[in-house]
Amino acid sequence: MRERPSNPLLSATSLAVEPAFLVPPTLSHLAEDRALASSLGRAIEECLRGRRRFPHTLLCGPADSGKRSVARAIAKELAEPVATLSMVAVSGPADIDAAFRDASDRSVLVVDGLELASPAALRDLGRAASGVRLEPAPGKACDEFEQLLRRQSQAGKRYPSVTVIATTRDTVDPTAPWFGWVERTYYLGRTPEAEAARLRRVLVRCGHSLDEGSLAAAAALVVDLGIRTLAAASTLVEWIREQGATAVDASGRIEELVAVFGPLANPERVQQRLADRSAELAEADAAPAPAASRLILP
């Protein structure tokens, strides 16, 4: 099946790091969330053993929490074709109908942008995920007879047994009527530890490495300043390449590492972080010394 890019305007990138570099080769490489990897792995084994499609899944989490990477990893483990559908680009039932109609049994359809979809689009997605064939709205030139023929041709037809893996940045109520088709819901988060694992995966893919202390500091900074993972990873790779070495020990150059990421962040967040850091240092200086280190006079 030919894959549809979720956003044609962003299908090409001039960054040093491709989005595919963020996808773990297998679920066992999902170091940022071992518990999630184990749960997904067990479900995949059951599906492969019973030759069933993977359960319809909803992945919830903030931007850059790895939702699409996890969806891609699931499809790779299943060894099934994968297509994408962005709810942002959906203008009507015909767009959703085309995505499901072109699919094959047990293939994976990754759907993003649920938080931006209209209630009508969410309803249509739910119907299609349940196998109910959507009837695209007829064009202006379509008369009543043509509409009747279309309804007759669609009657009784169902979509292939597709696995839908949808992503949303919102915290949703999986019991809501428009999410009745969802069979499993997983919640992902963006933490410094998870970000370090993702940055490490990109560096390995690019043939580079950074000492663990510096990698942890860089990941914490990226999360704290709200920098997108792809841009941060690309900038980090470019900086390492500039050093003229594949492995870099930046343990004594943390300030330089901070300067590398500074321009990528919102200036207001940078200023706030600097102010918080100054307050922390002032509080530390004002704190009394530990009793063991005080000078005791006779």
Side-chain angles (χ1 to χ4, degrees):
M1 184 194 310
R2 181 177 299 175
E3 181 175 332
R4 300 183 185 86
S6 59
N7 189 336
L9 297 177
L10 301 177
S11 58
T13 177
S14 59
L15 298 175
V17 172
E18 296 289 337
F21 291 4
L22 293 171
V23 181
T26 67
L27 284 175
S28 62
H29 291 85
L30 192 67
E32 56 266 45
D33 198 330
R34 298 293 190 188
L36 175 61
S38 297
S39 178
L40 292 173
R42 289 189 293 269
I44 288 173
E45 285 297 325
E46 286 295 321
C47 291
L48 294 176
R49 188 178 298 113
R51 297 186 61 80
R52 302 188 305 271
R53 68 163 176 80
F54 191 77
H56 292 320
T57 300
L58 180 62
L59 302 175
C60 306
D64 293 288
S65 56
K67 299 182 295 296
R68 280 184 289 184
S69 294
V70 169
R72 296 275 183 172
I74 294 172
K76 290 176 67 175
E77 293 280 356
L78 293 168
E80 295 290 351
V82 59
T84 59
L85 174 67
S86 176
M87 296 302 288
V88 178
V90 169
S91 58
D95 296 324
I96 299 176
D97 171 73
F100 280 84
R101 183 163 28 86
D102 294 344
S104 57
D105 282 340
R106 295 197 299 275
S107 62
V108 176
L109 179 63
V110 179
V111 182
D112 62 35
L114 259 66
E115 71 277 6
L116 301 175
S118 67
L122 289 176
R123 181 197 62 214
D124 289 338
L125 176 64
R127 293 179 61 200
S130 300
V132 179
R133 197 73 176 254
L134 300 179
E135 182 180 349
K140 293 182 179 180
C142 187
D143 58 24
E144 293 183 3
F145 179 70
E146 289 175 321
Q147 294 181 41
L148 177 61
L149 290 179
R150 177 176 299 185
R151 285 194 293 270
Q152 290 176 343
S153 66
Q154 300 291 342
K157 290 186 177 180
R158 295 179 68 84
Y159 292 120
S161 183
V162 182
T163 288
V164 177
I165 302 180
T167 68
T168 176
R169 296 182 183 181
D170 288 345
T171 299
V172 302
D173 178 8
T175 64
W178 44 87
F179 291 121
W181 56 272
V182 176
E183 296 166 309
R184 296 200 175 194
T185 302
Y186 295 98
Y187 296 89
L188 288 72
R190 194 187 192 199
T191 64
E193 294 76 18
E195 193 71 8
R198 302 182 75 198
L199 292 176
R200 186 185 301 107
R201 183 158 60 241
V202 170
L203 291 179
V204 171
R205 179 73 181 270
C206 295
H208 302 308
S209 66
L210 188 66
D211 67 280
E212 288 301 312
S214 300
L215 185 63
L221 186 67
V222 167
V223 173
D224 190 29
L225 296 180
I227 301 173
R228 302 302 301 266
T229 300
L230 193 61
S234 188
T235 299
L236 188 59
V237 168
E238 291 166 354
W239 179 74
I240 292 176
R241 288 175 179 171
E242 185 185 43
Q243 310 304 306
T246 57
V248 175
D249 182 352
S251 55
R253 304 158 60 185
I254 300 299
E255 293 301 324
E256 183 179 350
L257 204 57
V258 171
V260 169
F261 290 113
L264 299 177
N266 184 323
E268 293 181 0
R269 296 191 68 165
V270 174
Q271 292 301 321
Q272 183 60 51
R273 190 180 192 281
L274 292 175
D276 292 343
R277 180 57 178 167
S278 297
E280 291 173 3
L281 294 175
E283 184 178 351
D285 291 340
S293 63
R294 293 175 187 165
L295 178 62
I296 300 178
L297 299 177

